[in-house]
Amino acid sequence: MATKEKEFIGAAEIKEEEIPVEEMFLNMGPSHPSMHGIVRIMVRITGERIVWSDVEIGYLHRGFEKSCENNSWNSAQIYTDRLNYVSPIINNVGYCMTVEKLMGIEVPERGEYVRTLVSEVSRIADHITALGAAAMEVGAFTAFLYAMKAREWLYDLIEAACGARITTNFARVGGLCADLPEGWIADCKTMMPQVEGVIVEMDKLLTRNRIFVDRMKGVGAVPPDKAVEFGFTGPLLRASGVPYDVRRAFPYSVYDRMEFTVPLGTNGDCFDRFLVRMEEMRQSVRIVYQCMEQLPEGPVNSDDKRAYRPAKSNVYGNIEGLMNQFKLVMHNHGINPPPGETYCSVEGGNGEVGFYIVSDGKDKPYKCRCRPPCLPLVQAIPYMLRDHFIADVVPVFGSLNMIGGELDR
Amino acid sequence: MEIPSYVNRLKEACGAAIEEVSTPLGDLVVLVKADQIVEALNWLKEDEEALFDHFMDLTAVDYIGREPRFEVVIHLVSIPKSQRIRIKVHLDEDDPVMPTITPVYPAANWFERECWDLYGVHFTGHPNLTRIMLYEGFKGHPLRKDYPIKKTQPLMELRKPEVRRSDEAFEPGKNPNNP
């Protein structure tokens, strides 16, 4: 824009429209403290107002599908940990459910309960990380530290169950890698009230905090029809007021036996997304308690010999067990689902994580597609940032909870 | 799984566009001709019993050695009716082209870009069909089955820094604020 030549009249008397402004191009990212993972947001600004924006992704593309197609069915599962690395168990469960559907394997009841239980623990960890990080980026550092404290407790629980904090690889086709260790339920029972305490603390710190509300309220609002049009799922869709939750619409595992409410927002702005995530954590705690109460005794793994490895006593004790073990671990053998294709989805931290898997009857997946919930959310960033200020980029982006591993795969 | 009644009405409405209806493993799958995909999707979105308002996923599968080679797979969800459908389109090896579905489902924009990037399926009428996961200048489409997993790409020449400040006012010497 051309600058206006005019006489000096004193700073106090200049009105806003008379300040000479020039359009400026600004890069946020690829390496920026508030861009979790790596993503580049380009904005054109006049003064502080955004007039145009665009997003560039793909910095973390690792070839998830190509890797899966070149590994055996069990090896491909470890790549699913690296999709949403904040709640990896949910991805493991989604992948295993899809392969089980292809093979027609039923998981025993206890296995399904444990899957539901650890999925909900992961969901709390996912939401509490997202909220803590979003709060930190708008200046509330204390809330972030409180959230990280609770997340460590939840990761300790996950580590006790499967031996790893982040790359869990907990589920297996036909069940789980192991049953819950002794005393895990007691640990979880002592941990959950403490986690609830942290949720209350975050609630007190943030929900009525004047600075936080001013930064979040009315920012990045998406009306319900637009949210559906953009293909949103998960907390962002529900914050806009559309009641779609995979756990409720298409129940899997034992979610049809759980009592929980699906929280809905009204405005679809950043503050509603914060509130929806807060309420979902409380509902997840409810589900965790119900799972622990109803947890049945029995095996966690299917005894289907096509998928699950026999007990060590059988491997060392009799010839059938030994042969079965070798059939499953040897090169070019292993799991062989019959030719076919299917799609299964679970409710991940950010929305519907779907797996579309094609098998040609060989030892490797012919195709393993993950439907990323982040991609439609990031796609809508230019819409959410229209007519906003440069300072609103950070809360809008924080409220999406973009996970690079899932977005770029 | 029984085939829902709206599929029969879809067959009547779109006629020859619907090539095959099947229900493998309990999923409803409809094979549609490429040139009439937009009409079929529009019908599925508007019909009162179908109401597939929510776009879920778009991807392709490379069945190398088969004719037709490519299969574009679209997943839709109806939130009011709690139902799912899978739409398939077959595309030839020589000419993998289909019309874009962004007029019906704007959310498909980046999914189609990804499909073009990784499989080389061209969507006519797409607003911005450029590479999304890989960089401009990448040779080939890596998810095709004939792309070897260990293939390396040629090194790119060092590019000059992009010139952002193209406006005259930003050129040194001409800007009164920044001489």
Side-chain angles (χ1 to χ4, degrees), chain A residues 75-120:
Chain A
S75 310
Q77 193 203 320
I78 64 160
Y79 293 108
T80 62
D81 287 334
R82 279 84 176 161
L83 293 172
N84 185 340
Y85 37 74
V86 190
S87 53
I89 289 181
I90 304 179
N91 306 330
N92 295 162
V93 171
Y95 174 81
C96 291
M97 271 170 49
T98 319
V99 182
E100 282 155 14
K101 193 174 166 189
L102 268 175
M103 299 177 77
I105 295 176
E106 293 264 324
V107 178
E109 204 176 27
R110 185 180 169 90
E112 294 283 17
Y113 269 99
V114 175
R115 280 183 178 188
T116 311
L117 180 53
V118 288
S119 293
E120 290 308 313

Side-chain angles (χ1 to χ4, degrees), chain A residues 140-217:
Chain A
F141 206 94
T142 319
F144 173 69
L145 295 177
Y146 281 36
M148 285 299 112
K149 178 179 69 178
R151 192 186 75 159
E152 264 334 284
W153 294 337
L154 296 164
Y155 275 5
D156 283 349
L157 278 178
I158 291 168
E159 189 180 7
C162 62
R165 293 167 74 249
I166 292 178
T167 49
T168 53
N169 205 12
F170 190 40
R172 289 284 188 283
V173 177
L176 300 161
C177 76
D179 198 351
L180 294 174
E182 211 173 307
W184 194 91
I185 296 292
D187 285 352
C188 191
K189 273 183 182 157
T190 52
M191 206 61 90
M192 276 302 138
Q194 298 182 39
V195 173
E196 281 179 290
V198 171
I199 297 173
V200 171
E201 280 174 342
M202 284 185 71
D203 193 18
K204 282 184 185 165
L205 275 170
L206 297 173
T207 309
R208 301 186 63 183
N209 182 325
R210 180 67 192 272
I211 304 169
F212 185 73
V213 173
D214 281 355
R215 289 294 300 273
M216 305 293 264
K217 201 149 197 160

Side-chain angles (χ1 to χ4, degrees), chain A residues 23 25 40 57-58 65-66 70 101 229-230 232 341-342 345 352 366-367 369 371 379 409, chain B residues 27 54 56-57 59-60 62 84 86 88 107 109-110 114 119 132 142 144-145 147 149 164 170:
Chain A
E23 195 174 283
F25 185 95
R40 176 176 167 211
I57 67 165
E65 286 184 42
K66 195 76 176 174
N70 286 280
K101 193 174 166 189
E229 198 176 280
F230 278 123
F232 282 14
E341 53 173 55
T342 194
S345 61
E352 174 165 335
Y366 192 75
K367 177 175 173 73
R369 156 84 177 173
R371 188 260 173 198
Q379 185 176 220
R409 280 158 291 130
Chain B
D27 303 342
H54 206 294
M56 254 324 140
D57 193 18
T59 185
D62 177 7
R84 290 180 186 275
R86 186 184 308 149
K88 285 185 175 181
N109 187 325
W110 278 18
E114 191 187 331
Y119 279 100
I132 182 167
R144 289 189 173 190
K145 289 281 179 184
Y147 187 96
I149 188 168
R164 295 257 172 256
F170 283 120

